[in-house]
Amino acid sequence: MTGTLALVRLALRRDRLLLAVWILLIVVAVAGTASAIGELYPGMRQRVALGVTIGSTPALQAITGPVFDSASVGGLTAWRATTITAVLTALMNLLLITRHTRAEEESGRAELLGACAVGRHALMSSALLVAAGANLLIGLLITAALAGQGLPGTGALAFGLAIACTGWLFAAVAALTAQLTEHARTANGLALAMLGLAFLLRAGGDAAQIDALSWASPLGWAQRVRAFAGERWWVLALSALAALVLVALAAALARRRDLGAGVLPPRRGPADAPPYLGSPLGLAWRLHRGGLLAWAAGFAVMGTLFGTLADSAGQILRGNPRLAAILDQLGGAGALTDTFLATVLGVMGLVAGGFAVQAVLRLQTEESALRAESVLAAAVSRTGWTLAHLAMALGGAAVILTAGGFAVGLAHGLRTGEAGPQALRLAGAAWVQLPAVWVAAALAMLLYGVLPRLTALAWAALTGFALLGQLGEVLQLPGSLRNLSPYAHLPQAPGGEVTARPLLWLATVAVACAGAGVLTFRRRDLTGN
């Protein structure tokens, strides 16, 4: 543990801006949701009627979770904000821990630090301490924000601690996955897979009203603290205990492996390289194919889950204008089943943006590990190298969205007797999300070319897009602010009129940003940072 405090100061110095942005976005989202719900549903009768509608709608519960007390503003705030806030906090912790542990080993900086008076566990301990402090600050600020709006202090504290404990748990998950593999990108992928699995378990359990599934998910634990609805303080102990177990396991694994290596040995490649590795695009495909297949499989599973719920959503929506208005806030104007399907595809578009950003930032990983220098020393141009990875990001996003849309349509069609047509229709509708996904990827490319030390801002931007899209209407944000998200310019599909103009504009913005990033990269030095 020697040197832990010095590494904590270093991590705070490096991430002071990024952490501030994450914390601000999360806290403002919760505070704004509480304020908006108080204005939209000032009367108890309105709130109770909304709660009855939510309770009878499995599709809506799959997205946002159950409501435990619809009579109070606090209860509806917990229903609306817990899932998205917990997911964002978990994402912040996953990226933070991997950045300061496995990424440091992969780049070689951890070995340099190890040559000084730094203990074996100092790197992981410092990252966990920074994450713990950030989560605690998020919890306290959420508590203060909700209590400051007149909500019960006990419920506000329970809400804040539920989010903080979820963050601590997923920080421990990332600490564990960082021990398993020697690459930061793979460690991030494993941790994100755990977050995705937790979301699917919670969504499936809440939609089907199978408590065992919901209790199997840490995201379900955050909801079942029951903030503002008869708080269950003992549930917080589940996250704390699980986090301690995972951290202890991560520390035990760290003692049993070499610095820079992972517990899982790397798979040996063939003795002779295949011919396609002779091109930049072939190398990019080899580097991205594992992650691409995993993302596509995850989208197919998520699509199947939500596709099975689409028909029930349509049946409940008929003659229920209140619920139609709620889904309009989540996914845009529309009606019946298509509104729900458009909401699901919109969420998939945001998640696909995460794949695209991660794929583009593989360029920085290759540069930091000094592998890019070896590749570019051969007959490979900088433009060809960057465009190959950019092509995998843009094309890969199309593949995973197709897989997700096809799975949604197939699952929905099997229930309605139109499996083939629905699968094709929803696969095509998923492609409407592509231009916005490409803008997110292009922004990451621009940051890599111009400000390689600040590429983490690409993740902050994507988080901002998600908050503007999912909570913009609820928070009653002005249209000019919501329009900062490229996803706000997409037409609704299915169920709406799809025109080419906004899609072409977004594609033009993506080309301009990506082109500027590629051109700037050609003119700067390889820094390894």
Side-chain angles (χ1 to χ4, degrees), residues 19 89 92 97 113 173 195 209 212 215 223 264 283 303 307 327 388 392 434 447 474 499 513:
L19 280 176
T89 305
M92 178 196 77
I97 295 298
L113 289 172
V173 169
L195 177 58
Q209 296 185 348
W215 278 104
Q223 291 175 332
L264 302 177
L283 177 59
L327 286 179
M392 289 304 304
L434 270 179
L447 287 170
V474 175
T499 58
C513 291

Side-chain angles (χ1 to χ4, degrees), residues 276-285 375 379-381 384-386 388-389 392:
Y276 70 81
L277 286 180
S279 67
L281 185 59
L283 177 59
W285 160 250
V375 172
V380 176
S381 67
W385 182 65
T386 52
H389 284 271
M392 289 304 304

Side-chain angles (χ1 to χ4, degrees), residues 39-376:
E39 294 179 6
L40 292 172
Y41 304 98
M44 182 179 293
R45 287 187 177 182
Q46 293 174 300
R47 296 193 291 268
V48 170
L50 175 61
V52 171
T53 302
I54 296 167
S56 61
T57 312
L60 190 56
Q61 293 186 54
I63 296 176
T64 55
V67 57
F68 295 107
D69 180 15
S70 60
S72 66
V73 173
L76 287 180
T77 299
W79 160 73
R80 186 63 184 86
T82 297
T83 296
I84 186 171
T85 306
V87 169
L88 290 176
T89 305
L91 183 61
M92 178 196 77
N93 281 272
L94 298 181
L95 297 175
L96 176 68
I97 295 298
T98 305
R99 170 177 165 83
H100 289 288
T101 54
R102 175 52 61 182
E104 293 296 283
E105 292 191 41
E106 187 175 4
S107 66
R109 287 189 290 266
E111 187 173 6
L112 292 176
L113 289 172
C116 304
V118 175
R120 175 69 172 171
H121 298 299
L123 197 64
M124 183 174 68
S125 299
S126 64
L128 288 171
L129 285 175
V130 171
N135 290 318
L136 181 60
L137 183 58
I138 288 173
L140 292 176
L141 290 177
I142 287 177
T143 301
L146 295 179
Q149 297 187 39
L151 298 182
T154 303
L157 179 61
F159 190 104
L161 288 179
I163 300 303
C165 287
T166 303
W168 289 330
L169 176 55
F170 279 97
V173 169
L176 178 61
T177 58
Q179 313 306 317
L180 300 179
T181 175
E182 62 183 25
H183 298 297
R185 187 169 182 268
T186 308
N188 264 333
L190 291 173
L192 288 171
M194 294 298 100
L195 177 58
L197 178 61
F199 180 84
L200 291 176
L201 287 173
R202 184 217 52 84
D206 290 342
Q209 296 185 348
I210 302 175
D211 284 343
L213 282 179
S214 299
W215 278 104
S217 167
L219 299 179
W221 299 348
Q223 291 175 332
R224 279 151 182 80
V225 172
R226 296 176 66 110
F228 304 103
E231 292 77 14
R232 293 173 173 172
W233 300 102
W234 62 268
V235 179
L236 298 173
L238 291 177
S239 296
L241 180 60
L244 289 175
V245 171
L246 291 175
V247 169
L249 181 57
L253 293 177
R255 289 194 297 268
R256 296 175 179 272
R257 65 176 181 85
D258 293 332
L259 184 66
V263 173
L264 302 177
R267 186 166 59 99
R268 290 187 177 183
D272 299 319
Y276 70 81
L277 286 180
S279 67
L281 185 59
L283 177 59
W285 160 250
R286 176 63 183 83
L287 293 175
H288 290 279
R289 68 181 183 186
L292 175 59
L293 294 175
W295 278 84
F299 266 57
V301 173
M302 181 169 64
T304 301
L305 171 63
F306 285 106
T308 58
L309 299 171
D311 188 52
S312 63
Q315 293 173 1
I316 295 170
L317 276 170
R318 291 186 177 93
N320 194 331
R322 183 183 296 277
L323 184 55
I326 296 173
L327 286 179
D328 283 346
Q329 294 177 359
L330 291 174
L336 306 176
T337 304
D338 280 348
T339 302
F340 175 74
L341 292 172
T343 302
V344 171
L345 294 181
V347 172
M348 285 187 172
L350 286 167
V351 179
F355 164 82
V357 169
Q358 184 186 55
V360 170
L361 296 186
R362 180 61 185 260
L363 291 165
Q364 187 180 42
T365 300
E366 295 297 298
E367 181 180 349
S368 299
L370 304 181
R371 292 188 291 268
E373 187 174 0
S374 300
V375 172
L376 296 174

